[in-house]
């Protein structure tokens, strides 16, 4: 970053004494444009000694996926993005037959159960109920008086969302794959933690009169940032980061303007 | 020195026996072995059947919910629960196939061939639940029945006849059987039980249950209005009896009728597939998707065809909203369901489109996004609509129950006591199959998830 071309040094106009064209010892003051010495690279030193990098929504050690970071002035946008309260999308993989203490497949075993009575239809029924109760929670925590016409119009458009701190809310669940004992869900949620998603998988197992553990949690979208914008380990260099920032800038600005006004 | 060392050397083995090695955390191999050796529990087998349950909520002090501990708590320090604001499970002996809520009482019916087929609970001041012999005094009957109690019916073949449907009005009830006609009980001061009005008849503690058999064909649906009764036969005709001052009997006059008489007007010759009524207005749906209405129109229920406030002959309601599948009538508002699964409301009161829509004569559609329809779930639509006196209920094809309307004494089941101006989900632990709405309480039939 420091090797990139710098801003040209500031110029100033100084009256420098130069010998007069006539001759003799007379000195004339001639205005000339001279670079300011304070801007000289050797005086100033490298432009960037430290970079401030801030993190967006948390992603714990056992999960993977999109993780938003802010660099330098972008850190200010991070708070604004947090206040937009946009949904995040996760792909959660689960496995029936086991229940563990920390709801993931690497934890201490609590119980083993049968799962051959589970069908995709039963799972989808449970998912529909989860969506229903979470939809109710969405309307309740959004702190709008239900008796107003405004609340009715927002509910019709589906725009009611809690704009402050609230318990985790799931706005949508869908079963992507179902092959006993494994299954995969796509979960859209707000204000959640990855451990909460693992707990949801465990509770789905309990509702189906069996048990389930979560095998993987992968965030596929965080607000406006999707997997396509995310940089894998091999692309953590300056050029890719700069391109990524440039690509997302417009989307972030429009989103902030739309939500926060 | 050697001796001292020797002594220590001999002491060490003793120490080693007393202190075994510190417990190590189990290695991965040991964990996997322990996991494989763990027992496997089975909670539900492959042939597990979904269980049928009944949930009740609303005003409980009349005993209409069927839970005696709400009215008379079993411990002295407990207070009686006047209102049950959220669904509460009611344990029943048999699988219940039909439910009806009246004005302060409930009827549960099962289609079994056992002798006991109908249970009733709640208000019994007009013997709308039959004669419930009091245990304390064998000559008297109960005025309030707190628990689902069997109703003895004078059946000719009690071990073959099945109950198809029950219906409750303000102070009378109708029970429809498959081969023995319709049984009516309760108040008959307007002839709503289908028998002659006897002056100064005392209805409480009465043993009289009337049987109606003379119709043009088998009766397939019975509906109770507030003080009138409607019967729909297999041929598509509608019969009515009872109070007619608002024209709700649809027979062309405003007098009471004590014998079920066939309706004419715009429904003559039309094959009616569903009738509905709860207050003083009635709606009928034909097999071609047309809706007919008669009765009270003070709340603009029939204002699309007439300016008068009472209509005593069935009139066709020319709505251009599509083919209608089901209709439900409330006290002041009506709701219909079209073939596409859209819900239309009209009338007066809290209609479900926000606090601004108080009355309308023309049906207005409730946006499907309020019932859970979204890009994520595009195949959700409403499957049934039901009406109470001032509240509405809708069941989706996914088994979710949505309610809206006036929250009289907690009858909506949302857990709050405020009125609900747009459809709100009721959290029921199961898939709701059917719901019956009363004045201040509701009963639902639910199937468990697994």
């Amino acid at each position: 970053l420091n090797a990139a071309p710098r801003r040209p040094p500031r110029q100033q106009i100084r009256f420098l004494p130069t010998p007069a064209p006539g001759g003799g010892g007379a000195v004339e003051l001639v205005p000339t444009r001279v670079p300011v010495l304070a801007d000289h690279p050797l005086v100033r030193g490298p432009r960037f000694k430290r970079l401030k990098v801030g993190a967006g929504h948390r992603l714990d050690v056992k999960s993977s996926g999109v993780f938003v970071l802010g660099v330098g002035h972008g850190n200010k946008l991070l708070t604004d993005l947090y206040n937009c309260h946009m949904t995040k999308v996760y792909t959660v993989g689960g496995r029936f037959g086991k229940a563990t203490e920390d709801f993931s497949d690497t934890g201490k075993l609590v119980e083993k159960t049968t799962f051959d009575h589970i069908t995709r239809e039963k799972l989808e029924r449970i998912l529909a109920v989860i969506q229903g109760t979470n939809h109710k929670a969405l309307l309740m925590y959004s702190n709008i008086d239900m008796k107003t016409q405004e609340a009715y119009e927002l509910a019709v458009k589906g725009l009611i969302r809690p704009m402050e701190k609230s318990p985790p809310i799931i706005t949508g669940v869908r079963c992507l794959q179902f092959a006993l004992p494994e299954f995969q869900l796509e979960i859209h949620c707000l204000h959640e933690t990855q451990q909460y998603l693992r707990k949801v998988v465990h509770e789905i197992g309990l509702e189906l009169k069996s048990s389930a553990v979560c095998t993987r949690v992968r965030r596929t979208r965080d607000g406006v940032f999707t997997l396509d914008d995310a940089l894998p380990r091999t692309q953590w260099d300056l050029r890719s980061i700069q391109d990524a920032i440039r690509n997302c800038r417009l989307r972030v600005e429009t989103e902030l303007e739309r939500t926060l006004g | 020195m050697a001796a001292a060392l020797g002594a220590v050397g001999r002491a060490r083995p003793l120490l080693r026996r007393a202190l075994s090695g510190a417990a190590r955390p189990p290695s991965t191999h040991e964990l996997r072995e322990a996991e494989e050796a763990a027992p496997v529990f089975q909670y539900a087998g492959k042939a597990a059947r979904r269980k049928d349950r009944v949930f009740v909520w609303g005003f409980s002090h009349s005993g209409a919910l069927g839970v005696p501990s709400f009215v008379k708590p079993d411990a002295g320090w407990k207070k009686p629960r006047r209102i049950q604001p959220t669904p509460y499970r009611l344990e029943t002996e048999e699988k219940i196939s039909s439910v009806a809520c009246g004005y302060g009482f409930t009827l549960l019916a099962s289609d079994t061939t056992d002798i006991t087929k109908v249970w009733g609970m709640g208000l019994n001041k007009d013997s709308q639940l039959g004669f419930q012999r009091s245990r304390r005094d064998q000559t008297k009957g109960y005025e309030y029945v707190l628990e689902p109690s069997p109703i003895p019916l004078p059946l000719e073949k009690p071990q073959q006849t099945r109950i198809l449907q029950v219906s409750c009005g303000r102070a009378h009830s109708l029970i429809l059987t498959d081969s023995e006609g319709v049984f009516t009980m309760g108040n008959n001061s307007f002839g709503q039980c289908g028998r002659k009005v006897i002056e100064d008849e005392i209805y409480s503690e009465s043993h009289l249950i009337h049987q109606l058999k003379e119709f043009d064909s088998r009766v397939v649906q019975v509906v109770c209005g507030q003080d009138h009764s409607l019967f729909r036969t297999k041929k598509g005709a509608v019969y009515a009896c009872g109070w007619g001052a608002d024209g709700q009997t649809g027979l062309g006059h405003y007098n009471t009728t004590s014998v079920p008489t066939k309706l004419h007007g715009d429904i003559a010759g039309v094959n009616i597939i569903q009738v509905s009524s709860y207050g003083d207005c009635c709606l009928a749906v034909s097999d071609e998707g047309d809706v007919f209405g008669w009765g009270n129109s003070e709340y603009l229920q029939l204002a699309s065809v007439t300016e008068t406030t009472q209509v005593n002959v069935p009139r066709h309601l020319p709505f251009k909203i599509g083919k209608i599948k089901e209709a439900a009538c409330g006290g002041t508002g009506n709701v219909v369901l079209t073939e596409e699964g859209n819900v239309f409301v009209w009338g007066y009161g809290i209609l479900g489109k926000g606090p601004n829509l108080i009355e309308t004569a023309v049906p207005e559609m409730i946006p499907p996004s309020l019932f859970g329809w979204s890009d994520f779930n595009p195949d959700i639509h409403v499957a049934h609509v039901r009406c109470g006196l001032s509240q509405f209920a809708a069941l989706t094809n996914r088994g979710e129950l949505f309610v809206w309307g006036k929250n009289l004494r907690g009858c909506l089941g949302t857990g709050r006591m405020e009125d609900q101006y747009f459809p709100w989900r009721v959290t029921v632990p199961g898939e709701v199959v059917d719901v019956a709405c009363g004045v201040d309480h509701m009963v639902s039939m639910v199937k468990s998830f697994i």
Side-chain angles (χ1 to χ4, degrees):
Chain A
L1 200 56
N2 285 329
R6 293 165 170 245
R7 253 198 300 228
R10 287 174 289 171
Q11 304 279 347
Q12 61 176 349
I13 300 189
R14 285 189 81 165
F15 294 93
L16 291 177
T18 44
V27 171
E28 223 177 50
L29 289 175
V30 173
T32 40
R33 208 173 263 272
V34 203
V36 172
L37 281 175
D39 272 350
H40 197 269
L42 289 173
V43 173
R44 278 219 137 174
R47 189 151 166 226
F48 294 102
K49 269 205 265 217
R50 270 189 211 176
L51 270 181
K52 279 201 183 154
V53 173
H57 293 114
R58 290 204 192 119
L59 195 66
D60 69 2
V61 180
K62 285 192 262 192
S63 334
S64 60
V66 176
F67 187 38
V68 177
L69 298 159
V71 174
H73 290 302
N75 289 317
K76 296 187 201 124
L77 294 174
L78 277 179
T79 354
D80 294 333
L81 275 180
Y82 179 77
N83 291 336
C84 273
H85 298 282
M86 287 184 293
T87 56
K88 303 181 206 69
V89 179
Y90 286 81
T91 309
V92 175
R95 168 192 273 269
F96 288 117
K98 222 165 74 151
T100 52
E101 278 191 342
D102 64 349
F103 313 134
S104 75
D105 53 348
T106 48
K108 183 170 156 206
L109 180 74
V110 167
E111 194 181 59
K112 282 203 321 198
T113 57
T114 61
F115 48 83
D116 47 359
H117 62 277
I118 301 178
T119 61
R120 188 166 183 152
E121 193 204 305
K122 290 183 186 169
L123 179 66
E124 307 227 315
R125 234 181 272 149
I126 303 285
L127 296 181
V129 170
I130 292 179
Q131 276 195 45
T133 41
N134 275 276
H135 188 67
K136 232 175 99 160
L138 193 70
L139 297 177
M140 278 199 325
Y141 282 107
S142 57
N143 273 341
I144 304 186
D145 187 9
M146 289 299 154
K147 297 202 188 144
T148 55
Q149 184 68 16
E150 178 203 335
Y152 164 71
E153 262 147 41
L154 284 176
V156 171
K157 285 193 228 143
L159 288 181
I160 293 193
R161 246 182 17 222
M163 288 314 245
E164 303 138 358
K165 269 199 181 194
S166 83
I169 295 183
I170 297 180
T171 55
V173 200
R174 201 165 41 178
C175 179
L176 294 175
Q177 281 174 31
F178 184 82
L180 281 179
E182 313 260 347
F183 64 99
Q184 246 192 25
L185 303 172
E186 184 185 310
I187 304 185
H188 296 236
C189 40
L190 278 176
H191 305 157
E192 81 304 335
T193 54
Q194 285 77 42
Q195 191 60 14
Y196 177 76
L197 295 176
R198 292 193 191 98
K199 191 172 164 195
V200 165
V201 170
H202 173 253
E203 282 172 1
I204 289 176
L206 290 181
E207 272 296 327
L208 289 165
K209 298 230 176 99
S210 175
S211 48
V213 287
C214 176
T215 42
R216 70 202 282 250
V217 175
R218 186 178 187 229
R219 184 147 68 194
T220 48
R221 185 171 70 82
D222 184 343
V224 278
F225 301 94
T226 61
L227 272 184
D228 302 325
D229 307 320
L231 299 171
R233 196 75 191 262
T234 49
Q235 284 182 17
W236 287 2
D237 56 292
L238 179 64
R239 181 82 337 122
S240 337
I241 294 178
Q242 282 179 332
D243 290 336
I245 294 178
R246 213 171 293 131
N247 287 340
C248 296
R249 182 182 296 168
L250 185 61
R251 263 183 286 158
V252 170
E253 272 172 17
T254 38
E255 182 62 43
L256 285 177
E257 225 183 271
R258 204 157 54 103
T259 316
L260 298 175
Chain B
M1 200 173 297
L5 274 174
V8 168
R10 230 168 283 132
R12 214 170 274 159
L14 281 167
L15 282 168
R16 209 176 291 145
R17 232 179 283 142
L19 291 167
S20 56
R24 290 184 333 270
S27 69
T28 327
H29 183 66
E30 280 169 21
L31 277 173
R32 220 176 311 133
E33 271 183 4
E35 236 183 72
E36 262 144 52
V40 180
F41 291 89
Q42 183 184 55
Y43 292 108
K46 268 201 147 152
R49 291 268 163 274
R50 290 170 76 181
K51 294 173 205 44
D52 300 287
R53 304 202 166 117
V54 176
F55 281 85
V56 294
W57 62 91
F59 185 62
S60 61
H61 211 62
S62 58
L65 297 191
V67 184
S69 55
F70 284 166
V71 185
K72 287 213 143 80
D74 30 5
W77 54 270
K78 286 192 192 163
K79 287 216 180 90
R81 206 188 289 198
R82 252 189 75 240
I83 287 175
Q84 173 58 35
T86 47
Y88 186 91
R89 178 145 160 226
L90 182 69
E91 304 270 352
T92 53
E93 286 142 16
E94 297 264 358
K95 172 181 177 294
I96 303 291
S97 62
S98 172
V99 189
C101 287
Y103 288 41
F105 65 104
T106 320
L107 277 185
L108 305 170
S110 149
D111 65 349
T112 160
T113 44
D114 291 349
I115 305 211
T116 332
K117 300 173 204 286
V118 192
W119 293 264
M121 53 240 202
L123 215 56
N124 197 24
K125 288 201 168 169
D126 287 306
S127 300
Q128 53 261 59
L129 306 174
F131 182 73
Q132 303 287 339
R133 200 179 292 276
S134 160
R135 260 181 272 177
R136 263 185 289 180
D137 183 353
Q138 297 281 340
T139 52
K140 294 222 172 49
Y142 281 128
E143 273 195 346
Y144 289 91
V145 180
L146 299 182
E147 213 180 25
S149 311
I151 297 177
L153 292 174
L155 293 166
E156 270 177 23
K157 304 198 176 100
Q159 278 164 327
Q160 284 177 29
T161 319
R162 284 183 200 261
I163 307 275
L164 295 177
Q165 196 214 327
V166 282
S167 185
C168 303
R170 182 186 60 87
H172 71 297
S173 23
L174 301 177
I175 299 176
L176 173 64
T177 60
D178 58 351
S179 52
E180 295 196 33
V182 183
F183 288 92
T184 66
M185 37 198 205
N187 193 305
N188 193 43
S189 32
F190 305 110
Q192 61 262 49
C193 284
R195 55 187 167 91
K196 199 149 145 331
V197 181
I198 301 169
E199 285 237 3
D200 298 328
E201 182 180 348
I202 302 172
Y203 297 107
S204 76
E205 296 171 16
S206 155
H207 290 257
L208 186 54
I209 298 184
H210 189 63
Q211 190 178 14
L212 292 168
K213 277 191 182 173
E214 293 89 29
F215 297 96
D216 63 349
S217 52
R218 203 160 63 83
V219 180
V220 283
Q221 190 192 357
V222 284
V223 168
C224 286
Q226 192 160 10
D227 280 311
H228 69 290
S229 314
L230 297 171
F231 309 85
R232 175 172 70 88
T233 61
K234 199 158 172 185
K235 285 199 181 152
V238 180
Y239 286 73
C241 65
W243 200 41
D246 275 329
Q248 58 262 56
T249 44
L251 295 168
H253 55 77
Y254 292 111
N255 310 324
T256 58
T257 320
S258 46
V259 173
T261 325
K262 196 162 168 173
L263 265 69
H264 297 282
D266 284 358
I267 60 174
V270 179
N271 185 12
I272 302 286
I273 54 166
Q274 198 230 339
V275 195
S276 168
S277 174
Y278 202 66
D280 289 327
C281 178
C282 313
L283 285 182
V285 178
S286 74
D287 56 350
E288 281 163 25
D290 296 315
V291 66
F292 301 84
W294 64 96
N296 193 0
S297 180
E298 283 166 19
Y299 302 100
L300 309 179
Q301 290 112 318
L302 307 172
S304 51
V305 283
T306 171
E307 289 280 324
T308 56
T309 49
Q310 274 89 15
V311 177
N312 60 3
V313 174
R315 296 283 305 270
H316 172 61
L317 301 175
F319 297 140
K320 304 261 180 308
I321 52 181
K323 200 166 159 198
I324 292 173
K325 209 166 63 160
E326 209 178 63
C329 247
T332 59
N334 299 339
V335 61
V336 288
L337 175 69
T338 58
E339 288 271 309
E340 297 105 50
N342 290 326
V343 176
F344 287 82
V345 288
W346 78 100
Y348 172 83
I350 301 180
L351 296 176
K353 290 192 72 158
N356 287 0
L357 188 70
I358 296 287
E359 60 175 6
T360 166
V362 179
E364 303 244 350
M365 184 167 95
I366 296 193
S369 55
L370 287 173
F371 293 114
W373 183 93
S374 66
D375 302 318
F376 222 71
N377 304 309
D379 53 352
I380 287 192
H381 61 269
V382 177
H384 297 284
V385 281
R386 302 269 179 266
C387 235
L389 200 63
S390 47
Q391 65 271 38
F392 302 85
L395 294 173
T396 61
N397 56 344
R398 287 261 192 101
E400 295 187 310
L401 173 64
F402 286 84
V403 292
W404 66 98
K406 218 158 169 41
N407 196 2
L408 198 57
R409 297 186 275 265
C411 61
L412 288 185
T414 52
R416 304 196 312 254
M417 301 310 273
E418 296 128 24
D419 303 333
Q420 185 58 34
Y421 289 91
F422 56 91
W424 187 261
R425 221 182 234 101
V426 176
T427 330
V428 179
E431 206 181 290
V432 184
V433 173
D434 200 5
V435 68
C437 306
V439 169
D440 52 11
H441 71 293
M442 280 203 216
V443 181
S444 61
M445 300 196 295
V446 169
K447 256 190 145 80
S448 69
F449 288 126
I450 293 281

